[in-house]
Amino acid sequence: KMAEKQEEPSNAQNGEADNAEEGEGKKKKLKREDLPPFEIVTGERLPAIFFKFQFRNVEYSSGRNKTFLCYVLETQGKEPVTSRGYLEDEHAAAHAEIAFFNTILPKCESSLRYNVTWYVSSSPCVTCADRITETLKKNKNLRLTIMVGRLFMWEEPEMQAALKNMKSAGCKLRIMKPQDFEYVWQNFVEQEEGEEAKAFVPWEDIQENFKYYEEKLAEIL
């Protein structure tokens, strides 16, 4: 079962390259070989069922041990470029936050400015938080805003310290409001083909949970 699960994402990738434009396809294929197998092709949308389960801002997140990271990357130079996509992690490999820096934005050109917004199902673990802090300290031309559905292990002193370090390195950390979940739903989640886009349906405790986590985050930071 496990081995079979491991296979899936890589097959999806190989299929994807064929219908890309010719030149693009070749370039993408080359790069894709050296990506870890969990890597998700950017620009695709995540299945609604994943969104409904993983992004749910519940307090007890049992079984929600995967991170889904939707990003909007704005590169400001002579010709501004905006790209978006999503990554998810398989915990055997890198976490999605680190995958973003390794594959989507491996280097920041000093002549450009980067505005990055992440919409993440839960806040980063200590290791990822440290990597975010280091990256922001190294690249003064990188602005990062992280919108999170839930706070991960926020009672742990080590985790609280890591979040504070991210803040002092210039990272904006916010809890996702109902409108932010709706934004992700509209922009990053697969809609059934041929149907009208389905409206986002908030879960009943979405607002209370947002308030709960917002208070916790304010206390930490």
Side-chain angles (χ1 to χ4, degrees), residues 38-39 66-70 86-91 93-104 118 120 128:
F38 74 92
E39 196 58 65
K66 237 170 145 43
T67 303
F68 279 89
L69 185 157
C70 301
Y86 88 95
L87 297 160
E88 62 180 272
D89 58 27
E90 290 291 354
H91 281 262
H95 285 186
E97 295 91 335
I98 288 180
F100 179 87
F101 292 124
N102 292 349
T103 58
I104 308 298
W118 288 352
V120 197
C128 290

Side-chain angles (χ1 to χ4, degrees), residues 12-215:
Q13 289 174 352
N14 299 341
E16 158 78 11
D18 305 337
N19 53 28
E21 285 117 53
E22 254 322 289
E24 263 296 285
K26 285 204 180 68
K27 194 169 70 195
K28 273 191 182 160
K29 239 187 176 126
L30 259 177
K31 273 183 84 164
R32 217 167 284 161
E33 298 316 326
D34 51 21
L35 295 180
F38 74 92
E39 196 58 65
I40 290 292
V41 181
T42 57
E44 283 191 6
R45 285 169 170 249
L46 68 142
I49 191 163
F50 286 177
F51 171 81
K52 286 174 183 167
F53 180 67
Q54 296 288 352
F55 269 90
R56 206 159 167 161
N57 58 357
V58 289
E59 190 180 346
Y60 300 105
S61 47
S62 74
R64 295 177 171 85
N65 57 350
K66 237 170 145 43
T67 303
F68 279 89
L69 185 157
C70 301
Y71 64 86
V72 181
L73 164 61
E74 299 171 320
T75 307
Q76 298 173 332
K78 277 202 182 76
E79 303 196 356
V81 184
T82 301
S83 64
R84 62 174 71 226
Y86 88 95
L87 297 160
E88 62 180 272
D89 58 27
E90 290 291 354
H91 281 262
H95 285 186
E97 295 91 335
I98 288 180
F100 179 87
F101 292 124
N102 292 349
T103 58
I104 308 298
L105 194 58
K107 59 179 190 299
C108 292
E109 304 286 337
S110 53
S111 58
L112 300 173
R113 290 188 51 173
Y114 302 88
N115 282 336
V116 179
T117 306
W118 288 352
Y119 296 87
V120 197
S121 42
S122 73
S123 58
C125 66
V126 172
T127 312
C128 290
D130 291 346
R131 172 72 186 269
I132 290 165
T133 302
E134 272 165 47
T135 307
L136 286 170
K137 282 184 173 158
K138 263 203 312 244
N139 301 288
K140 295 296 179 206
N141 53 335
L142 171 62
R143 300 256 174 286
L144 178 61
T145 302
I146 306 180
M147 315 290 290
V148 302
R150 302 184 297 276
L151 289 175
F152 175 68
M153 306 211 19
W154 54 267
E155 299 100 328
E156 305 288 326
E158 198 190 0
M159 192 67 253
Q160 296 186 359
L163 293 176
K164 286 185 177 129
N165 290 342
M166 274 169 49
K167 186 189 175 181
S168 48
C171 179
K172 288 192 177 77
L173 193 58
R174 304 276 183 271
I175 305 293
M176 286 170 69
K177 299 181 167 81
Q179 301 89 296
D180 297 313
F181 287 105
E182 186 169 5
Y183 175 81
V184 171
W185 173 258
Q186 289 170 346
N187 291 280
F188 293 99
V189 176
E190 276 171 7
Q191 302 294 340
E192 292 297 310
E193 280 192 27
E195 280 188 27
E196 282 298 298
K198 284 204 182 75
F200 172 64
V201 181
W203 39 95
E204 59 184 73
D205 43 9
I206 191 169
Q207 182 65 26
E208 287 132 77
N209 293 346
F210 156 65
K211 285 269 182 264
Y212 170 83
Y213 279 123
E214 197 175 46
E215 278 164 29

